[in-house]
Amino acid sequence: MRAAVVEQYKKPLVVENVPDPVDDAGGVIVDVKACGVCRSDWHGWRGEWPGFTGGDLPHTFGHEFVGVVSDAGKSVTQFKVGDRVIIPFTLGCGHCWFCRTGHSNVCPDITMPGFTYDGGFAEYVHVPNADSNVVPLPDAVSFQEAAGMGCRFMTAYHGVVEVGKVHPGDWLVVYGAGGVGLSATQIASGAGANVIAVDIADDKLDLARKVGAVETINSSTTEPIEAVRDITGGGADMSVDALGIPTTLRNAVGSLRRRGTHVQIGMTPEGEGGEVALTINDLITNEIDYRGSFGMPTVEFRYLLDQVSTGKLHPGDLVTRTIGLSDVNEALDNMTTYTTVGTSVVTDFTH
């Protein structure tokens, strides 16, 4: 099969023929029809997350994939060849306490396609423990839109709705208008929140307004914390850092009112690069609620997919470009320079 392979970190991916994945009794093989290119792929390609990949190269990234079941193991009972499916990027073991209580995204034995094993920048991907991990994709949702839902949209949904518990009328400030930030903006706006989007690029802020932001702040020309406090009359009820860099994280927390809630979705590099200093006394005296959010458990997909199927949420609006495997290099390079607008989705696996 064809795949875009990382042979050296920070070097162009090589599109080449690689062996097809091998199925097992409890898994399925997915014929990939579309795969989003995410900033998490960028982190992996840069070599910043060896704890996820084991540091072994060559490696095939891609964790925002959807497609059709092309083979099912003999123990699989819920899926058959030809089924349309979407795959969470966090796959649980299916039997531990966390999986059994609806929190498969934090399973201690989690596997992640594209990270812990080869992923969706390829024609086929194996998915283990299919009955507990694979999610049916409604006919009303196209493959392209579903791939745009990918990691960023499902992650933002879990973070804003389930972890953050956003309410209608809340002021929510989102730092970063990339894939996760735009997704959080659309989702929170759909839930009735007033969203302020913060970024350093006017074209990204323009898109944020189109998907629901009521206010935007260009932090390269405006001090964002004071601007948020002016807009909200004292601070946001909730903040999201969608980037995972020290400046946006600290600004997001600093933008909150007393007893506000911060949701950290953007991931940092491993090691010292991921250590961010916060003034703990401010968190304590202002009773700031700081919450981490990772992926989305399988059981929550029905709510997200129902809203997309009925047209209440539109992840396809964030897809600005469809590309081939060889174009993933350009998409990653654009992320390095922060010039990506919206989401790129691989739909052509022939070149």
Side-chain angles (χ1 to χ4, degrees), residues 91-105 107-108 299:
L91 308 178
C93 68
H95 58 263
C96 71
W97 184 88
F98 295 98
C99 288
R100 289 186 287 107
T101 55
H103 304 288
S104 56
N105 58 317
C107 171
V299 295

Side-chain angles (χ1 to χ4, degrees), residues 63-149:
H63 58 289
E64 297 188 330
F65 65 94
V66 297
V68 174
V69 174
S70 63
D71 185 60
K74 62 182 181 180
S75 299
V76 176
T77 62
Q78 303 299 311
F79 298 92
K80 64 183 184 304
V81 173
D83 285 349
R84 304 173 82 247
V85 294
I86 182 170
I87 310 301
F89 80 92
T90 52
L91 308 178
C93 68
H95 58 263
C96 71
W97 184 88
F98 295 98
C99 288
R100 289 186 287 107
T101 55
H103 304 288
S104 56
N105 58 317
V106 292
C107 171
D109 294 320
I110 202 168
T111 55
M112 294 181 288
F115 291 108
T116 58
Y117 72 97
D118 288 338
F121 293 157
E123 293 182 274
Y124 298 95
V125 181
H126 172 247
V127 181
N129 305 315
D131 283 342
S132 58
N133 285 320
V134 176
V135 179
L137 181 65
D139 291 339
V141 182
S142 71
F143 289 124
Q144 178 178 312
E145 183 168 47
M149 194 181 306

Side-chain angles (χ1 to χ4, degrees), residues 9 44 47 49-57 59 61 114-117 270:
Y9 291 128
W49 291 348
F52 282 173
T53 64
D56 294 331
L57 296 179
H59 187 80
F61 288 93
F115 291 108
T116 58
Y117 72 97
E270 293 180 7

Side-chain angles (χ1 to χ4, degrees), residues 22 27 84 91 136 141 146 155 160 177 185 219 223 243 266 287 325 335-336 345:
V22 178
R84 304 173 82 247
L91 308 178
V141 182
T155 296
V160 169
T185 297
S219 57
E223 204 291 311
L243 284 177
E287 291 195 352
L325 279 177
M335 290 179 185
T336 302
V345 172

Side-chain angles (χ1 to χ4, degrees), residues 140-178:
V141 182
S142 71
F143 289 124
Q144 178 178 312
E145 183 168 47
M149 194 181 306
C151 155
R152 66 204 85 198
F153 207 87
M154 63 180 74
T155 296
Y157 189 92
H158 177 64
V160 169
V161 176
E162 295 296 329
V163 176
K165 305 293 184 186
V166 72
H167 297 100
D170 278 351
W171 279 103
L172 167 63
V173 59
V174 178
Y175 278 81

Side-chain angles (χ1 to χ4, degrees), residues 193-254:
N194 302 306
V195 180
I196 305 169
V198 182
D199 203 282
I200 60 173
D202 286 333
D203 53 355
K204 295 182 181 181
L205 294 173
D206 289 342
L207 185 52
R209 280 192 176 272
K210 290 179 182 177
V211 299
V214 297
E215 297 282 354
T216 58
I217 299 169
N218 188 319
S219 57
S220 68
T221 58
T222 301
E223 204 291 311
I225 293 177
E226 290 303 318
V228 170
R229 293 188 178 278
D230 287 343
I231 292 169
T232 61
D237 300 286
M238 179 176 164
S239 63
V240 168
D241 172 28
L243 284 177
I245 59 177
T247 298
T248 55
L249 193 160
R250 286 193 290 262
N251 285 347
V253 173

